[in-house]
Amino acid sequence: MALQPNLKPLIIAGSPSAPQTIDVFCDPQWITSARTARRSRSRLTKSSSPLLNQQYGGKVKIIFRNQVQPWHASSTLVHEAGIAVARVAPDQFWAFSLALFAKQDDFFDIPSSDLTVKQIRGKLADLAASVIGADKRDAVLDLLTNKSSPNGGVAVTDDLKYTIKFSRQNGIHVSPTVLFDGLVANEISSSWGETEWKEFLAKKIV
């Protein structure tokens, strides 16, 4: 599956040159997406995982796909923050994403309902700083600051547009949704453990 070159940090496991691809469409504002992220970390993307890092690392890669769910008011903002971190600290994108899933309650509709957009972005920059270092907080926040144009978005808006257009043209609606080599793999569940992933990959990896 295609990936805009500057979004290479969204490859969260496996070699970028691996011929086969698992696309995981997730929204940090959704509970089942968080469950998928946690299980993916322990089963597939953790450095000690033998599945991708040792057995299949050169054969398949996992791409995190930003799946904005606009009925959650902060969804766009948290995805922008992830892309901002991908620019400032590319090797920490997945670590920040996991931190964002862990703290997703802080950005749910009710907790964030009385906050301004600037305040939410400030909280996201603080969370980023806890992962990538306080010295990089301002760089992240700068990327999340509105441009001079009244409706021009922020510095990472164009990258977010790319991820949204990619999702739309592929008809992705539910978060999480997993694609294997470009086709929806409905059999994959957020509850899968190592056994299920081993069986799935053994059948799919060429």
Side-chain angles (χ1 to χ4, degrees):
M1 295 292 281
L3 184 65
Q4 194 168 283
N6 62 314
L7 292 177
K8 186 178 177 181
L10 274 59
I11 301 173
I12 58 175
S15 169
S17 61
Q20 293 184 270
T21 303
I22 298 173
D23 292 285
V24 183
F25 293 78
C26 279
D27 179 21
Q29 293 285 273
W30 192 235
I31 296 170
T32 52
S33 283
R35 187 185 305 132
T36 296
R38 286 194 297 270
R39 288 186 175 271
S40 294
R41 177 187 181 276
S42 61
R43 310 302 187 216
L44 297 175
T45 66
K46 194 175 181 181
S47 61
S48 60
S49 169
L51 284 177
L52 289 189
N53 291 288
Q54 298 175 27
Q55 190 170 355
Y56 296 121
K59 297 180 179 180
V60 64
K61 58 185 174 292
I62 298 180
I63 301 177
F64 180 96
R65 299 287 186 177
N66 300 85
Q67 178 71 357
V68 175
Q69 306 280 29
W71 44 87
H72 297 304
S74 297
S75 184
T76 295
L77 303 179
V78 298
H79 283 286
E80 285 176 343
I83 294 174
V85 169
R87 281 201 192 181
V88 174
D91 60 334
Q92 294 296 309
F93 167 77
W94 184 226
F96 171 72
S97 296
L98 291 169
L100 192 53
F101 280 115
K103 293 289 187 179
Q104 65 176 186
D105 293 21
D106 293 351
F107 303 97
F108 280 173
D109 293 345
I110 292 178
S112 60
S113 61
D114 292 327
L115 300 178
T116 67
V117 171
K118 282 187 177 181
Q119 288 172 325
I120 294 172
R121 285 173 170 158
K123 287 185 64 176
L124 288 163
D126 289 339
L127 181 60
S130 72
V131 176
I132 67 176
D135 59 317
K136 296 182 177 66
R137 180 188 183 279
D138 288 347
V140 170
L141 190 58
D142 182 62
L143 293 174
L144 302 178
T145 300
N146 288 321
K147 298 177 181 177
S148 56
S149 171
N151 204 31
V154 298
V156 297
T157 295
D158 286 344
D159 287 345
L160 186 62
K161 284 181 180 179
Y162 168 85
T163 67
I164 293 172
K165 290 176 182 178
F166 183 90
S167 177
R168 286 177 177 174
Q169 78 169 12
N170 286 287
I172 306 300
H173 300 287
V174 178
S175 171
T177 294
V178 180
L179 274 59
F180 187 88
D181 284 349
L183 297 179
V184 175
N186 284 321
E187 66 270 37
I188 294 176
S189 170
S190 60
S191 64
W192 273 17
E194 188 169 349
T195 299
E196 292 83 0
W197 273 112
K198 280 183 176 179
E199 292 175 352
F200 177 83
L201 292 172
K203 293 176 182 177
K204 295 290 186 179
I205 302 301
V206 176

